[in-house]
Amino acid sequence: MMNPVIETILQHRSIRKFEDRPLTDEQIRTIVECAQAASTSSFVQAYSIIGVKNKETKRKLAELAGNQSYVEHNGHFFVFCADLHRHEVAGEMEQKDVLPSLESTEKFMVALIDAALAAQNAAIAAESMGLGICYIGGLRNNLPEVCKLLKVPKRVIPLFGLAVGYPAQQPDKKPRLPFEHVYHEETYEQDRTKFESQLRQYNDTVSAYYIKRTNGKRRDTWTGQIANMLSNPARMYMKEFVEGKGFNLR
Amino acid sequence: MMNPVIETILQHRSIRKFEDRPLTDEQIRTIVECAQAASTSSFVQAYSIIGVKNKETKRKLAELAGNQSYVEHNGHFFVFCADLHRHEVAGEMEQKDVLPSLESTEKFMVALIDAALAAQNAAIAAESMGLGICYIGGLRNNLPEVCKLLKVPKRVIPLFGLAVGYPAQQPDKKPRLPFEHVYHEETYEQDRTKFESQLRQYNDTVSAYYIKRTNGKRRDTWTGQIANMLSNPARMYMKEFVEGKGFNLR
């Protein structure tokens, strides 16, 4: 059950160090066209992509994302945005009141899902060309500043970056949750004992991965790492911010 | 700039009629493993997939999704869910208070994005095997009933279905928004006249597509179709529903 597509997908690892070599315009165009080929909810195409080449803009984005050097140093930097701005314009062009729709939580979800489907096509396309990628959720640390920098209007939210470039490292693949824990047959798993024992099994896998990778210095489990991270609520300004952008209001 | 991966991605079209031929367990496993290989925000893996084979369940889902026959008749039906349930369990296992995080709009976004990235990997993997796919947003017509049927707990939201199977039709590719309208260089497009003229250009493309496809019976424009659809607010129960599931509360 192997083919070049599945091979590309299964070979994925995030690349956090790139050669100093820009993508060509043709590469950028192909990546964006692949993004656009993704499915979209009822044809709405509720996303935009901002491509950043400018070194100063990249440097500022890297700072805003928490000083991740690969946001500054890469072959190209894409910013994927949820976008209902063009739908507001469409409503004005057609003289229809589309605001209650645009402000709904349903359309907020549609825009997020549309943007992510497009982004994953872009990621796979880039990887198929021998490039590496890393998603940059760190952009959400400070979206007001990101919006100012990229001149993003109302009804547009930068969701994450995608750093793309020629890999200058070859990290290990990170082990995923057990198949049976993620894939449920017919109904969601009801057996709490089984559910927890799958998480414990995964903890052993993740520990072994870290021990091997750090010569025993780190031995984090998954539940330990996740519970630690989640016990420090992050980006709690988000609700107010997305509402201010005209999303998720009703 | 063509390779088998990019070819698969650019060849995408949604399939709404499948042969009566189930996927093998091996095909299902490969598709799910490809989904799992996608990037995930800070390793959280905030999604689950429910696979439905049962004919009666499929029939009910088809009804709930607005009588789409391809929800009932396909090779396999996947339901992609935003999932923070396992993270709540992780918090309990580690005795950490993770609730403020789990209830944040930020983590709602993370779960939606994670689920969509995984789903698009699944879609591309399926298409690379010669299968066809169709995303089923119609599941969101009635999520309380979908949750009951699939026994989905709190902190899990079914987002969309993915019908997969052997194609029994070969529809045309639907034209996408102009490249320049979706892809912005350095900053978001500020010129409203240019922005609107791109939409008008696209209206002509979309009209031509419908005229050809329906022998002149349909001549919808994109802004017309979208403004019409959005002027009828849909699924306005969503905000209350996702809050009831423990998401998007603060």
Side-chain angles (χ1 to χ4, degrees):
Chain A
M1 197 99 333
M2 203 41 94
N3 65 44
V5 178
I6 292 168
E7 216 167 306
T8 299
I9 289 173
L10 294 179
Q11 276 306 307
H12 165 70
R13 51 209 76 194
S14 293
I15 299 297
R16 294 188 172 81
K17 198 170 175 1
F18 298 101
E19 289 176 18
D20 185 17
R21 180 177 164 197
L23 267 58
T24 64
D25 287 345
E26 198 194 347
Q27 284 173 317
I28 293 169
R29 191 168 187 108
T30 302
I31 289 169
V32 172
E33 283 174 350
C34 282
Q36 290 194 264
S39 293
T40 162
S41 174
S42 304
F43 207 21
V44 294
Q45 306 171 76
Y47 64 92
S48 282
I49 306 167
I50 303 172
V52 181
K53 284 182 182 168
N54 184 285
K55 278 191 189 302
E56 183 55 19
T57 310
K58 278 190 184 179
R59 200 192 53 70
K60 281 185 191 152
L61 286 174
E63 204 178 294
L64 291 169
N67 291 311
Q68 300 177 330
S69 66
Y70 40 102
V71 174
E72 186 176 352
H73 303 288
N74 48 54
H76 198 66
F77 194 74
F78 297 94
V79 178
F80 282 81
C81 307
D83 191 337
L84 295 174
H85 171 59
R86 73 171 61 91
H87 307 82
E88 185 176 15
V89 173
E92 288 166 16
M93 286 166 71
E94 303 288 338
Q95 294 172 290
K96 298 262 187 185
D97 179 16
V98 298
L99 287 200
S101 263
L102 297 188
E103 292 179 354
S104 67
T105 293
E106 158 68 12
K107 287 298 174 288
F108 178 54
M109 294 166 72
V110 161
L112 262 64
I113 294 167
D114 261 24
L117 298 182
Q120 189 55 17
N121 262 11
I124 296 293
E127 290 180 330
S128 79
M129 301 175 189
L131 301 166
I133 65 114
C134 189
Y135 280 93
I136 312 293
L139 282 199
R140 292 197 304 281
N141 288 347
N142 192 341
L143 284 182
E145 286 300 318
V146 171
C147 286
K148 237 187 272 176
L149 193 60
L150 305 178
K151 299 193 182 153
V152 164
K154 197 169 173 180
R155 302 196 201 288
V156 179
I157 304 173
L159 296 175
F160 46 79
L162 187 72
V164 180
Y166 292 88
Q169 62 173 193
Q170 177 67 326
D172 289 339
K173 267 172 73 174
K174 237 169 163 179
R176 296 305 197 236
L177 281 163
F179 178 89
E180 295 70 21
H181 190 75
V182 168
Y183 185 67
H184 305 244
E185 288 186 345
E186 301 303 332
T187 52
Y188 197 95
E189 179 61 59
Q190 304 295 307
D191 183 340
R192 172 74 177 240
T193 314
K194 198 166 157 192
F195 195 86
E196 283 193 29
S197 90
Q198 289 165 342
L199 289 177
R200 286 207 188 79
Q201 173 204 328
Y202 186 48
N203 278 346
D204 294 340
T205 310
V206 170
S207 274
Y209 165 82
Y210 282 118
I211 289 168
K212 189 183 157 214
R213 219 179 158 213
T214 64
N215 284 320
K217 268 176 234 149
R218 268 180 80 175
R219 47 183 67 239
D220 314 30
T221 63
W222 187 78
T223 58
Q225 195 179 109
I226 290 298
N228 263 337
M229 183 184 75
L230 295 177
S231 62
N232 294 304
R235 302 171 188 158
M236 298 304 279
Y237 76 98
M238 196 56 77
K239 189 169 204 287
E240 208 182 319
F241 175 79
V242 301
E243 288 171 2
K245 279 286 186 183
F247 285 85
N248 196 29
L249 283 157
R250 46 173 139 183
Chain B
M1 196 102 327
M2 204 37 96
N3 65 43
V5 177
I6 291 168
E7 216 167 307
T8 298
I9 289 174
L10 295 179
Q11 275 306 307
H12 164 71
R13 48 210 76 194
S14 293
I15 299 297
R16 295 188 170 82
K17 198 172 176 2
F18 298 101
E19 288 177 18
D20 184 17
R21 180 176 164 197
L23 266 59
T24 64
D25 286 345
E26 200 194 348
Q27 284 172 317
I28 294 168
R29 192 168 188 108
T30 302
I31 289 169
V32 172
E33 283 172 352
C34 283
Q36 290 194 265
S39 293
T40 162
S41 174
S42 303
F43 207 22
V44 295
Q45 307 171 74
Y47 65 92
S48 283
I49 306 168
I50 303 173
V52 181
K53 284 183 181 167
N54 183 285
K55 278 191 188 302
E56 184 55 18
T57 310
K58 277 190 182 180
R59 200 191 53 72
K60 282 185 190 151
L61 287 174
E63 205 178 293
L64 292 169
N67 291 310
Q68 300 178 327
S69 66
Y70 40 101
V71 176
E72 186 177 352
H73 303 289
N74 49 54
H76 198 65
F77 195 74
F78 298 93
V79 178
F80 282 81
C81 306
D83 190 337
L84 294 174
H85 171 58
R86 73 171 62 90
H87 308 81
E88 184 176 17
V89 172
E92 288 167 15
M93 286 165 70
E94 303 287 338
Q95 295 171 288
K96 298 262 187 188
D97 179 15
V98 298
L99 287 199
S101 264
L102 298 187
E103 292 179 354
S104 66
T105 293
E106 158 69 11
K107 287 297 175 290
F108 177 54
M109 292 166 73
V110 161
L112 262 63
I113 293 167
D114 261 23
L117 299 182
Q120 188 57 15
N121 262 10
I124 296 293
E127 289 180 330
S128 80
M129 302 175 188
L131 301 165
I133 64 113
C134 189
Y135 280 93
I136 312 292
L139 282 198
R140 293 198 306 281
N141 288 347
N142 192 340
L143 284 181
E145 286 299 319
V146 171
C147 286
K148 237 187 272 175
L149 193 61
L150 304 179
K151 298 191 182 157
V152 165
K154 198 172 173 178
R155 300 197 204 286
V156 180
I157 303 174
L159 296 176
F160 47 78
L162 187 71
V164 181
Y166 291 88
Q169 61 173 195
Q170 178 67 328
D172 290 337
K173 269 172 71 175
K174 239 170 161 177
R176 297 305 198 233
L177 281 162
F179 178 88
E180 294 72 21
H181 190 76
V182 168
Y183 184 66
H184 304 243
E185 289 185 345
E186 300 303 333
T187 53
Y188 197 95
E189 179 62 57
Q190 303 295 307
D191 182 340
R192 172 73 177 240
T193 313
K194 199 166 157 191
F195 196 86
E196 284 195 28
S197 90
Q198 289 166 340
L199 289 177
R200 285 206 189 82
Q201 173 204 329
Y202 186 47
N203 278 344
D204 293 341
T205 311
V206 170
S207 274
Y209 165 81
Y210 282 119
I211 288 167
K212 189 183 157 211
R213 217 179 158 212
T214 64
N215 284 320
K217 267 176 232 148
R218 269 180 80 175
R219 47 184 66 239
D220 315 29
T221 63
W222 186 77
T223 58
Q225 196 179 108
I226 291 297
N228 263 337
M229 183 185 75
L230 294 177
S231 62
N232 295 304
R235 303 172 188 156
M236 297 303 280
Y237 75 99
M238 196 57 76
K239 189 167 202 290
E240 207 183 318
F241 175 79
V242 301
E243 287 170 3
K245 279 286 184 182
F247 285 85
N248 196 28
L249 283 158
R250 46 173 138 186

